[in-house]
Amino acid sequence: MEHQLPTYGEKIIILSIDGGGIRGIIPGTVLAFLEAQLQKLDGEEARLADYFDIIAGTSTGGLVTAMLTAQNQKNCPLYAAKGIKDFYLEHCPKIFPQDRSPLAPAANFLKTITGPKYDGKYLHKLFERKVGRNTTEPGTGQRCDPNGKVDPWRNALLSDICIGTSPATTFLPAHHFKTQDSKGVVKEFNLIDGGVAANDPALVAVSEMTKEIVRRSPEFFPIKPTDYSRFVVISLGTGSAKSVEKFDADEAAKWGVLGWLTSENSTPLVDIFTQASSDMTEYHLAAVFQALQSENCYLRIQDDTLTGPLASVDIATKQNLENLVNVGVDFLKKPALRVNLETGKMEPSDLGTNEKALISYLLEKRLRDMRAPRGSTATKK
């Protein structure tokens, strides 16, 4: 398959995938459906990386992004989207091993107050093996300076990028790595938590694309940075706990430090930070797209009604993971929603179901294929 430059089309297509631990299997299920539909239109070799100009992910969403975009030795994506589900089913129980002993609650509590609940060693070895430590994937790990030149200080190994986005406060440890430029100057990175600042990375993705436009990158047709009618942002959430069950003010009023750090199946302080980050991103993008009369160019697929183990980031039992797959399937059948800026509630839009909306957005590729000179291709950044 060929990925044509936005110059030949009408839209810039952005995919964003939230963080959320094991709940990453939910957008993985959505993306597997989407890729299967695209293969019906364009053949079995179709891959999602050919349909998006930028894919952004945080934490578990970052790992999904790497699987969709990093190339193997045949210059194809490491995983077809349908492989994401099997990846989670196989590896999540080893990343988040479950303690089934009678003393498990006490042991988990002790781990939470003395260090990360999980050591992350299996996750680190997994991505060192999958994406390698000796090569940087072209167009995936590379970062440029304001003049468009590759910045060697920011040109990290993809394995470090994957491991660096995975830290989660109280769950997985922080990650330290270094980069080095051609003169031997070293820059250190200390990544503490991938999801506190941008658990929903859609705004970061839009900002990066806007920087390319402001820089007048030749890869993009001449548009104004505020012409949001030319952007399409598909933002996939990983689900969150039902709000009425998540926090109780009377109970929270009694919490001390330990109360904020541990509760049944959750860490309240972390939940508040990550959910607030996602909510503010969603609210901001919805407000901007609506203000510029481009509300149908922003699709947010999210469910905030998960309960019990489904809302957890680490209950990686076979049954819970399979139940999360079903949540992803249900996502597709539900009406596409849009945030009400007055109430903050999600309400049905005029886009039909999420399933219908997703397919309609990605027909942009066919337009580019028709307009592009024969044999012209481009590698996404």
Side-chain angles (χ1 to χ4, degrees):
M1 297 292 291
E2 296 180 347
H3 178 80
Q4 304 294 353
L5 293 171
T7 305
Y8 304 124
E10 294 182 351
K11 305 284 187 180
I12 293 174
I13 314 295
I14 297 172
L15 173 64
S16 171
I17 310 169
D18 284 17
I22 61 169
R23 298 198 310 268
I25 201 171
I26 295 175
T29 301
V30 172
L31 294 172
F33 160 82
L34 182 57
E35 189 170 87
Q37 296 303 307
L38 295 172
Q39 289 171 345
K40 291 180 182 179
L41 296 172
D42 295 328
E44 294 183 0
E45 297 302 315
R47 294 291 183 268
L48 287 173
D50 299 315
Y51 293 80
F52 292 96
D53 298 302
I54 183 170
I55 303 178
T58 293
S59 193
T60 193
L63 305 186
V64 172
T65 297
M67 288 188 279
L68 293 174
T69 59
Q71 298 176 352
N72 60 22
Q73 294 179 345
K74 297 181 180 180
N75 296 324
C76 297
L78 280 175
Y79 285 83
K82 66 181 180 181
I84 296 174
K85 180 184 75 172
D86 291 338
F87 177 91
Y88 274 80
L89 291 173
E90 177 184 355
H91 296 293
C92 279
K94 301 172 186 176
I95 298 170
F96 303 108
Q98 303 295 295
D99 186 347
R100 303 178 186 276
S101 70
L103 299 177
N108 289 335
F109 175 78
L110 184 61
K111 289 179 181 178
T112 300
I113 63 175
T114 60
K117 188 175 179 180
Y118 307 98
D119 60 24
K121 291 180 179 179
Y122 181 85
L123 177 67
H124 293 189
K125 290 180 180 178
L126 176 65
F127 273 89
E128 287 170 6
R129 185 174 74 250
K130 291 291 184 182
V131 299
R133 292 195 58 84
N134 298 319
T135 60
T136 303
E137 299 294 339
T140 305
Q142 290 182 340
R143 296 300 304 275
C144 299
D145 63 19
N147 297 317
K149 297 180 180 180
V150 172
D151 184 348
W153 278 355
R154 303 173 70 190
N155 195 18
L157 296 174
L158 186 54
S159 55
D160 277 324
I161 293 173
C162 291
I163 297 169
T165 195
S166 67
T169 306
T170 75
F171 287 98
L172 288 167
H175 182 56
H176 168 266
F177 65 92
K178 300 176 181 179
T179 60
Q180 183 173 310
D181 67 12
S182 58
K183 297 180 180 180
V185 180
V186 173
K187 185 175 179 64
E188 297 190 37
F189 293 84
N190 293 278
L191 303 180
I192 308 301
D193 190 313
V196 171
N199 199 55
D200 173 355
L203 187 57
V204 177
V206 171
S207 298
E208 288 294 313
M209 192 61 73
T210 301
K211 284 162 57 178
E212 294 289 328
I213 295 170
V214 171
R215 195 163 61 208
R216 299 185 182 278
S217 171
E219 296 181 3
F220 301 98
F221 39 76
I223 66 172
K224 297 178 181 179
T226 55
D227 188 0
Y228 275 45
S229 67
R230 309 297 286 274
F231 286 74
V232 169
V233 178
I234 298 173
S235 177
L236 302 183
T238 58
S240 64
K242 190 174 181 180
S243 57
V244 296
E245 292 189 357
K246 185 177 286 188
F247 303 114
D248 180 273
D250 291 335
E251 180 183 353
K254 304 172 186 176
W255 288 346
V257 173
L258 294 181
W260 283 100
L261 289 178
T262 182
S263 182
E264 185 178 359
N265 294 332
S266 70
T267 304
L269 189 61
V270 176
D271 289 348
I272 289 172
F273 276 117
T274 55
Q275 192 59 48
S277 166
S278 296
D279 288 346
M280 291 306 296
T281 294
E282 181 179 338
Y283 181 84
H284 174 79
L285 285 176
V288 171
F289 274 95
Q290 290 185 36
L292 298 176
Q293 300 180 334
S294 303
E295 56 267 26
N296 283 348
C297 293
Y298 172 55
L299 176 64
R300 173 67 170 165
I301 300 180
Q302 176 67 312
D303 187 343
D304 62 357
T305 63
L306 302 184
T307 59
L310 289 176
S312 168
V313 301
D314 68 327
I315 300 181
T317 63
K318 180 180 180 181
Q319 184 62 55
N320 196 41
L321 290 169
E322 290 177 347
N323 289 339
L324 287 169
V325 171
N326 293 331
V327 171
V329 173
D330 291 341
F331 264 23
L332 293 163
K333 304 299 182 182
K334 292 183 177 181
L337 303 178
R338 182 178 298 134
V339 65
N340 183 314
L341 298 178
E342 296 298 325
T343 65
K345 302 291 185 180
M346 299 296 289
E347 299 175 350
S349 68
D350 57 357
L351 294 173
T353 64
N354 288 319
E355 184 177 275
K356 180 180 177 181
L358 285 168
I359 292 297
S360 66
Y361 283 133
L362 296 188
L363 296 179
E364 163 77 6
K365 185 179 187 302
R366 286 197 162 184
L367 178 63
R368 296 187 192 181
D369 288 342
M370 289 188 294
R371 291 180 176 176
R374 193 170 185 177
S376 63
T377 61
T379 301
K380 292 178 293 303
K381 291 185 177 180

